PDB file of all heavy atoms in Angstrom:
ATOM      1  N   GLN A  39      74.734 120.123  94.831  1.00 84.00           N
ATOM      2  CA  GLN A  39      74.221 120.460  96.123  1.00 84.00           C
ATOM      3  C   GLN A  39      74.997 119.771  97.185  1.00 84.00           C
ATOM      4  O   GLN A  39      75.509 118.642  97.059  1.00 84.00           O
ATOM      5  CB  GLN A  39      72.744 119.975  96.248  1.00 84.00           C
ATOM      6  CG  GLN A  39      71.755 120.720  95.306  1.00 84.00           C
ATOM      7  CD  GLN A  39      70.339 120.245  95.565  1.00 84.00           C
ATOM      8  OE1 GLN A  39      70.098 119.149  96.042  1.00 84.00           O
ATOM      9  NE2 GLN A  39      69.353 121.084  95.164  1.00 84.00           N
ATOM     10  N   ARG A  40      75.165 120.435  98.314  1.00 86.00           N
ATOM     11  CA  ARG A  40      75.906 119.909  99.404  1.00 86.00           C
ATOM     12  C   ARG A  40      75.072 118.857 100.147  1.00 86.00           C
ATOM     13  O   ARG A  40      73.869 119.068 100.483  1.00 86.00           O
ATOM     14  CB  ARG A  40      76.247 121.046 100.444  1.00 86.00           C
ATOM     15  CG  ARG A  40      77.178 120.585 101.500  1.00 86.00           C
ATOM     16  CD  ARG A  40      77.715 121.738 102.374  1.00 86.00           C
ATOM     17  NE  ARG A  40      76.601 122.265 103.134  1.00 86.00           N
ATOM     18  CZ  ARG A  40      76.229 123.596 103.088  1.00 86.00           C
ATOM     19  NH1 ARG A  40      76.860 124.414 102.235  1.00 86.00           N
ATOM     20  NH2 ARG A  40      75.219 124.036 103.782  1.00 86.00           N
ATOM     21  N   ILE A  41      75.651 117.703 100.349  1.00 87.00           N
ATOM     22  CA  ILE A  41      74.958 116.641 101.031  1.00 87.00           C
ATOM     23  C   ILE A  41      75.610 116.306 102.400  1.00 87.00           C
ATOM     24  O   ILE A  41      75.296 115.313 103.059  1.00 87.00           O
ATOM     25  CB  ILE A  41      74.897 115.336 100.215  1.00 87.00           C
ATOM     26  CG1 ILE A  41      76.369 114.815  99.939  1.00 87.00           C
ATOM     27  CG2 ILE A  41      74.125 115.561  98.914  1.00 87.00           C
ATOM     28  CD1 ILE A  41      76.362 113.438  99.317  1.00 87.00           C
ATOM     29  N   VAL A  42      76.485 117.239 102.905  1.00 90.00           N
ATOM     30  CA  VAL A  42      77.139 117.076 104.126  1.00 90.00           C
ATOM     31  C   VAL A  42      76.710 118.115 105.127  1.00 90.00           C
ATOM     32  O   VAL A  42      76.679 119.345 104.759  1.00 90.00           O
ATOM     33  CB  VAL A  42      78.715 117.085 103.993  1.00 90.00           C
ATOM     34  CG1 VAL A  42      79.372 116.990 105.330  1.00 90.00           C
ATOM     35  CG2 VAL A  42      79.154 116.028 102.996  1.00 90.00           C
ATOM     36  N   GLU A  43      76.290 117.797 106.261  1.00 91.00           N
ATOM     37  CA  GLU A  43      75.970 118.731 107.350  1.00 91.00           C
ATOM     38  C   GLU A  43      76.953 118.449 108.502  1.00 91.00           C
ATOM     39  O   GLU A  43      77.258 117.288 108.754  1.00 91.00           O
ATOM     40  CB  GLU A  43      74.532 118.600 107.774  1.00 91.00           C
ATOM     41  CG  GLU A  43      73.507 118.948 106.710  1.00 91.00           C
ATOM     42  CD  GLU A  43      73.644 120.420 106.235  1.00 91.00           C
ATOM     43  OE1 GLU A  43      74.066 121.243 107.046  1.00 91.00           O
ATOM     44  OE2 GLU A  43      73.261 120.681 105.119  1.00 91.00           O
ATOM     45  N   VAL A  52      77.123 114.503 109.228  1.00 93.00           N
ATOM     46  CA  VAL A  52      75.950 113.843 108.674  1.00 93.00           C
ATOM     47  C   VAL A  52      76.043 113.855 107.183  1.00 93.00           C
ATOM     48  O   VAL A  52      76.092 114.875 106.559  1.00 93.00           O
ATOM     49  CB  VAL A  52      74.647 114.544 109.151  1.00 93.00           C
ATOM     50  CG1 VAL A  52      73.437 113.734 108.630  1.00 93.00           C
ATOM     51  CG2 VAL A  52      74.608 114.585 110.669  1.00 93.00           C
ATOM     52  N   LEU A  53      76.013 112.666 106.626  1.00 92.00           N
ATOM     53  CA  LEU A  53      75.973 112.446 105.125  1.00 92.00           C
ATOM     54  C   LEU A  53      74.541 112.149 104.764  1.00 92.00           C
ATOM     55  O   LEU A  53      73.943 111.217 105.245  1.00 92.00           O
ATOM     56  CB  LEU A  53      76.860 111.304 104.702  1.00 92.00           C
ATOM     57  CG  LEU A  53      78.385 111.533 105.032  1.00 92.00           C
ATOM     58  CD1 LEU A  53      79.197 110.318 104.474  1.00 92.00           C
ATOM     59  CD2 LEU A  53      78.892 112.813 104.514  1.00 92.00           C
ATOM     60  N   LYS A  54      74.042 112.944 103.844  1.00 91.00           N
ATOM     61  CA  LYS A  54      72.627 112.837 103.395  1.00 91.00           C
ATOM     62  C   LYS A  54      72.564 112.208 102.038  1.00 91.00           C
ATOM     63  O   LYS A  54      73.368 112.502 101.140  1.00 91.00           O
ATOM     64  CB  LYS A  54      71.884 114.139 103.425  1.00 91.00           C
ATOM     65  CG  LYS A  54      71.776 114.688 104.802  1.00 91.00           C
ATOM     66  CD  LYS A  54      70.947 115.985 104.835  1.00 91.00           C
ATOM     67  CE  LYS A  54      70.803 116.540 106.271  1.00 91.00           C
ATOM     68  NZ  LYS A  54      69.939 117.716 106.311  1.00 91.00           N
ATOM     69  N   ASN A  55      71.562 111.297 101.786  1.00 90.00           N
ATOM     70  CA  ASN A  55      71.362 110.659 100.506  1.00 90.00           C
ATOM     71  C   ASN A  55      70.048 111.138  99.951  1.00 90.00           C
ATOM     72  O   ASN A  55      68.989 110.603 100.329  1.00 90.00           O
ATOM     73  CB  ASN A  55      71.388 109.133 100.643  1.00 90.00           C
ATOM     74  CG  ASN A  55      71.170 108.412  99.331  1.00 90.00           C
ATOM     75  OD1 ASN A  55      71.125 109.038  98.293  1.00 90.00           O
ATOM     76  ND2 ASN A  55      71.096 107.063  99.343  1.00 90.00           N
ATOM     77  N   PRO A  56      70.022 112.114  99.021  1.00 86.00           N
ATOM     78  CA  PRO A  56      68.759 112.675  98.539  1.00 86.00           C
ATOM     79  C   PRO A  56      68.003 111.643  97.740  1.00 86.00           C
ATOM     80  O   PRO A  56      66.834 111.864  97.433  1.00 86.00           O
ATOM     81  CB  PRO A  56      69.235 113.845  97.670  1.00 86.00           C
ATOM     82  CG  PRO A  56      70.649 113.519  97.269  1.00 86.00           C
ATOM     83  CD  PRO A  56      71.189 112.763  98.426  1.00 86.00           C
ATOM     84  N   LYS A  57      68.604 110.605  97.289  1.00 86.00           N
ATOM     85  CA  LYS A  57      67.954 109.592  96.453  1.00 86.00           C
ATOM     86  C   LYS A  57      67.524 108.303  97.260  1.00 86.00           C
ATOM     87  O   LYS A  57      67.154 107.284  96.656  1.00 86.00           O
ATOM     88  CB  LYS A  57      68.793 109.212  95.247  1.00 86.00           C
ATOM     89  CG  LYS A  57      69.138 110.353  94.326  1.00 86.00           C
ATOM     90  CD  LYS A  57      70.027 109.875  93.188  1.00 86.00           C
ATOM     91  CE  LYS A  57      70.349 111.015  92.224  1.00 86.00           C
ATOM     92  NZ  LYS A  57      71.152 110.587  91.045  1.00 86.00           N
ATOM     93  N   ALA A  58      67.650 108.458  98.568  1.00 86.00           N
ATOM     94  CA  ALA A  58      67.270 107.241  99.370  1.00 86.00           C
ATOM     95  C   ALA A  58      65.844 106.836  99.195  1.00 86.00           C
ATOM     96  O   ALA A  58      64.910 107.714  99.147  1.00 86.00           O
ATOM     97  CB  ALA A  58      67.533 107.570 100.853  1.00 86.00           C
ATOM     98  N   SER A  59      65.604 105.544  99.124  1.00 86.00           N
ATOM     99  CA  SER A  59      64.258 105.007  98.956  1.00 86.00           C
ATOM    100  C   SER A  59      63.599 104.754 100.294  1.00 86.00           C
ATOM    101  O   SER A  59      62.326 104.520 100.333  1.00 86.00           O
ATOM    102  CB  SER A  59      64.278 103.715  98.118  1.00 86.00           C
ATOM    103  OG  SER A  59      65.152 102.781  98.775  1.00 86.00           O
ATOM    104  N   HIS A  60      64.289 104.765 101.390  1.00 88.00           N
ATOM    105  CA  HIS A  60      63.736 104.490 102.656  1.00 88.00           C
ATOM    106  C   HIS A  60      64.369 105.493 103.703  1.00 88.00           C
ATOM    107  O   HIS A  60      65.547 105.850 103.627  1.00 88.00           O
ATOM    108  CB  HIS A  60      64.126 103.045 103.120  1.00 88.00           C
ATOM    109  CG  HIS A  60      63.348 102.614 104.307  1.00 88.00           C
ATOM    110  ND1 HIS A  60      63.724 102.880 105.555  1.00 88.00           N
ATOM    111  CD2 HIS A  60      62.163 101.866 104.412  1.00 88.00           C
ATOM    112  CE1 HIS A  60      62.874 102.311 106.385  1.00 88.00           C
ATOM    113  NE2 HIS A  60      61.946 101.733 105.767  1.00 88.00           N
ATOM    114  N   PRO A  61      63.572 105.943 104.634  1.00 84.00           N
ATOM    115  CA  PRO A  61      64.001 106.925 105.634  1.00 84.00           C
ATOM    116  C   PRO A  61      65.286 106.522 106.380  1.00 84.00           C
ATOM    117  O   PRO A  61      66.121 107.299 106.711  1.00 84.00           O
ATOM    118  CB  PRO A  61      62.836 107.100 106.587  1.00 84.00           C
ATOM    119  CG  PRO A  61      61.646 106.745 105.782  1.00 84.00           C
ATOM    120  CD  PRO A  61      62.101 105.673 104.793  1.00 84.00           C
ATOM    121  N   SER A  62      65.421 105.170 106.596  1.00 84.00           N
ATOM    122  CA  SER A  62      66.550 104.670 107.372  1.00 84.00           C
ATOM    123  C   SER A  62      67.871 104.828 106.527  1.00 84.00           C
ATOM    124  O   SER A  62      68.971 104.733 107.054  1.00 84.00           O
ATOM    125  CB  SER A  62      66.377 103.191 107.728  1.00 84.00           C
ATOM    126  OG  SER A  62      66.249 102.412 106.525  1.00 84.00           O
ATOM    127  N   GLU A  63      67.688 104.995 105.224  1.00 87.00           N
ATOM    128  CA  GLU A  63      68.880 105.172 104.328  1.00 87.00           C
ATOM    129  C   GLU A  63      69.139 106.627 103.986  1.00 87.00           C
ATOM    130  O   GLU A  63      70.081 106.928 103.202  1.00 87.00           O
ATOM    131  CB  GLU A  63      68.691 104.296 103.083  1.00 87.00           C
ATOM    132  CG  GLU A  63      68.454 102.848 103.340  1.00 87.00           C
ATOM    133  CD  GLU A  63      68.155 102.083 102.047  1.00 87.00           C
ATOM    134  OE1 GLU A  63      67.882 102.790 100.991  1.00 87.00           O
ATOM    135  OE2 GLU A  63      68.135 100.857 102.052  1.00 87.00           O
ATOM    136  N   ALA A  64      68.393 107.495 104.499  1.00 89.00           N
ATOM    137  CA  ALA A  64      68.406 108.971 104.120  1.00 89.00           C
ATOM    138  C   ALA A  64      69.698 109.641 104.641  1.00 89.00           C
ATOM    139  O   ALA A  64      70.180 110.593 104.021  1.00 89.00           O
ATOM    140  CB  ALA A  64      67.165 109.684 104.621  1.00 89.00           C
ATOM    141  N   GLU A  65      70.187 109.188 105.764  1.00 91.00           N
ATOM    142  CA  GLU A  65      71.392 109.879 106.252  1.00 91.00           C
ATOM    143  C   GLU A  65      72.244 108.904 107.122  1.00 91.00           C
ATOM    144  O   GLU A  65      71.717 107.929 107.717  1.00 91.00           O
ATOM    145  CB  GLU A  65      71.041 111.116 107.063  1.00 91.00           C
ATOM    146  CG  GLU A  65      70.271 110.853 108.355  1.00 91.00           C
ATOM    147  CD  GLU A  65      70.010 112.115 109.148  1.00 91.00           C
ATOM    148  OE1 GLU A  65      69.802 113.155 108.441  1.00 91.00           O
ATOM    149  OE2 GLU A  65      69.963 112.061 110.369  1.00 91.00           O
ATOM    150  N   ARG A  66      73.524 109.154 107.245  1.00 92.00           N
ATOM    151  CA  ARG A  66      74.417 108.418 108.089  1.00 92.00           C
ATOM    152  C   ARG A  66      75.254 109.406 108.921  1.00 92.00           C
ATOM    153  O   ARG A  66      75.693 110.468 108.373  1.00 92.00           O
ATOM    154  CB  ARG A  66      75.355 107.556 107.304  1.00 92.00           C
ATOM    155  CG  ARG A  66      74.626 106.409 106.545  1.00 92.00           C
ATOM    156  CD  ARG A  66      75.611 105.420 105.906  1.00 92.00           C
ATOM    157  NE  ARG A  66      76.400 104.754 106.936  1.00 92.00           N
ATOM    158  CZ  ARG A  66      77.356 103.860 106.618  1.00 92.00           C
ATOM    159  NH1 ARG A  66      77.661 103.618 105.329  1.00 92.00           N
ATOM    160  NH2 ARG A  66      78.065 103.228 107.585  1.00 92.00           N
ATOM    161  N   LYS A  67      75.441 109.106 110.200  1.00 93.00           N
ATOM    162  CA  LYS A  67      76.197 110.036 111.086  1.00 93.00           C
ATOM    163  C   LYS A  67      77.522 109.404 111.482  1.00 93.00           C
ATOM    164  O   LYS A  67      77.622 108.212 111.726  1.00 93.00           O
ATOM    165  CB  LYS A  67      75.353 110.303 112.303  1.00 93.00           C
ATOM    166  CG  LYS A  67      74.027 111.035 112.014  1.00 93.00           C
ATOM    167  CD  LYS A  67      73.323 111.330 113.299  1.00 93.00           C
ATOM    168  CE  LYS A  67      71.974 112.108 112.993  1.00 93.00           C
ATOM    169  NZ  LYS A  67      71.265 112.385 114.273  1.00 93.00           N
ATOM    170  N   PHE A  68      78.551 110.292 111.579  1.00 93.00           N
ATOM    171  CA  PHE A  68      79.848 109.873 112.000  1.00 93.00           C
ATOM    172  C   PHE A  68      80.426 110.929 113.039  1.00 93.00           C
ATOM    173  O   PHE A  68      80.175 112.104 112.873  1.00 93.00           O
ATOM    174  CB  PHE A  68      80.864 109.813 110.828  1.00 93.00           C
ATOM    175  CG  PHE A  68      80.398 108.896 109.708  1.00 93.00           C
ATOM    176  CD1 PHE A  68      79.530 109.388 108.725  1.00 93.00           C
ATOM    177  CD2 PHE A  68      80.791 107.579 109.691  1.00 93.00           C
ATOM    178  CE1 PHE A  68      79.142 108.530 107.675  1.00 93.00           C
ATOM    179  CE2 PHE A  68      80.378 106.737 108.689  1.00 93.00           C
ATOM    180  CZ  PHE A  68      79.539 107.195 107.691  1.00 93.00           C
ATOM    181  N   ARG A 288      86.192 107.945  88.442  1.00 45.00           N
ATOM    182  CA  ARG A 288      85.710 109.293  88.572  1.00 45.00           C
ATOM    183  C   ARG A 288      86.838 110.324  88.276  1.00 45.00           C
ATOM    184  O   ARG A 288      86.529 111.391  87.756  1.00 45.00           O
ATOM    185  CB  ARG A 288      85.156 109.572  89.981  1.00 45.00           C
ATOM    186  CG  ARG A 288      83.888 108.782  90.262  1.00 45.00           C
ATOM    187  CD  ARG A 288      83.386 109.100  91.647  1.00 45.00           C
ATOM    188  NE  ARG A 288      82.185 108.383  91.948  1.00 45.00           N
ATOM    189  CZ  ARG A 288      81.495 108.466  93.101  1.00 45.00           C
ATOM    190  NH1 ARG A 288      81.991 109.252  94.079  1.00 45.00           N
ATOM    191  NH2 ARG A 288      80.405 107.764  93.337  1.00 45.00           N
TER     192      ARG A 288
END
Side-chain angles (χ1 to χ4, degrees):
Q39 294 182 337
R40 187 173 66 238
I41 61 169
V42 179
E43 296 297 334
V52 181
L53 300 182
K54 297 185 176 181
N55 181 4
K57 298 182 179 180
S59 58
H60 192 275
S62 63
E63 301 174 350
E65 65 179 34
R66 295 187 65 182
K67 296 182 179 180
F68 304 87
R288 292 182 180 178

